[in-house]
Amino acid sequence: LKAKIDAWTVFDSKLRVDRRRLEPAFTHSLGLRAFERENLDLFALVHKDDSVLLQSVLDQVIDGDKSHTALPLMAKVRLEYAATGNPRKQYEIEYLQVELLMAINSEGRVIVGLTALHEVSASHEYVVKLSQEDLQMSFDADGSHAASPESPREVILNGSDVISC
C-alpha cells in the first residue's frame, strides 16, 4: 500500500457519482477534464480484466463491517485515462495502473481513494498533427517510400556498439 492517496471521491454503492461531485484531484488524476456524461461509473473505466476484482472488493466493502473502526479494502486495477464518456477504439485507450482504497461511510456511500502507480505518458496531453507536406516528405514522387530499409548507424539501439555514434 502506498503511503499517500493522490485523490478521493465519494461514490454510491454501485460506484457511480455525479461528475460535478468528483473531487478536482480525482478528475485530474484520471485526466477526466473532457468527460462529457452527467454521471461517472467507475465500472465503465475499469479494464475488462479487472472488473471482477473491483466488483469483489466492492461487495466485501458493502457486506463487511460498517463500524468506524473497519479497515478499508484495497485493489490494484487499471482505469481508463482521459475518458470522455463516449465510445473509443481500443487502440485509443490508455490505462493507468492504480491502487483503489475503498471504505463505506455511515450513509452507505463508498469512499474511494486513488493512488497512481505510474505516470501517464504525455500522449494524452499533446497531440501532434502532421501536415500533408510532412507526410509527403517521407515518400518519393512515385509514391514509394524514400527511406532506406536499414536504420542509420547513429540510431541503432540494440547492437554491441550501442554507445557509439
Side-chain angles (χ1 to χ4, degrees):
L1 181 65
K2 289 247 180 181
K4 67 179 183 78
I5 294 175
D6 295 335
W8 63 274
T9 286
V10 178
F11 289 82
D12 69 12
S13 61
K14 295 183 179 176
L15 294 183
R16 293 181 303 213
V17 65
D18 183 309
R19 77 168 175 189
R20 295 171 298 210
R21 295 179 147 270
L22 284 170
E23 294 293 326
F26 202 91
T27 301
H28 176 74
S29 293
L30 291 177
L32 297 173
R33 289 179 298 275
F35 192 78
E36 297 175 359
R37 298 209 174 164
E38 288 295 316
N39 293 306
L40 173 74
D41 180 350
L42 208 53
F43 281 101
L45 298 184
V46 72
H47 189 280
K48 65 181 179 177
D49 294 341
D50 296 335
S51 62
V52 172
L53 173 62
L54 183 61
Q55 184 64 57
S56 174
V57 173
L58 176 62
D59 291 344
Q60 291 176 51
V61 167
I62 291 173
D63 297 338
D65 185 2
K66 293 181 178 39
S67 72
H68 70 282
T69 59
L71 293 174
L73 297 177
M74 191 265 301
K76 288 184 182 180
V77 298
R78 292 163 287 179
L79 296 177
E80 183 178 340
Y81 184 79
T84 63
N86 295 318
R88 297 192 299 176
K89 295 187 180 345
Q90 188 62 37
Y91 66 85
E92 296 175 318
I93 298 173
E94 182 173 358
Y95 289 95
L96 178 65
Q97 181 80 33
V98 299
E99 284 180 348
L100 295 180
L101 200 59
M102 295 191 287
I104 196 159
N105 66 14
S106 59
E107 299 157 358
R109 299 180 65 77
V110 180
I111 302 166
V112 178
L114 177 144
T115 302
L117 298 178
H118 66 80
E119 296 293 321
V120 175
S121 70
S123 64
H124 286 285
E125 299 296 326
Y126 305 100
V127 177
V128 177
K129 295 191 177 186
L130 297 175
S131 69
Q132 191 63 28
E133 285 179 346
D134 293 332
L135 294 173
Q136 287 297 329
M137 285 175 47
S138 63
F139 291 90
D140 286 336
D142 64 356
S144 63
H145 199 278
S148 165
E150 295 179 358
S151 295
R153 182 167 179 77
E154 63 272 9
V155 294
I156 295 176
L157 300 177
N158 59 349
S160 60
D161 55 348
V162 173
I163 306 298
S164 67
C165 292

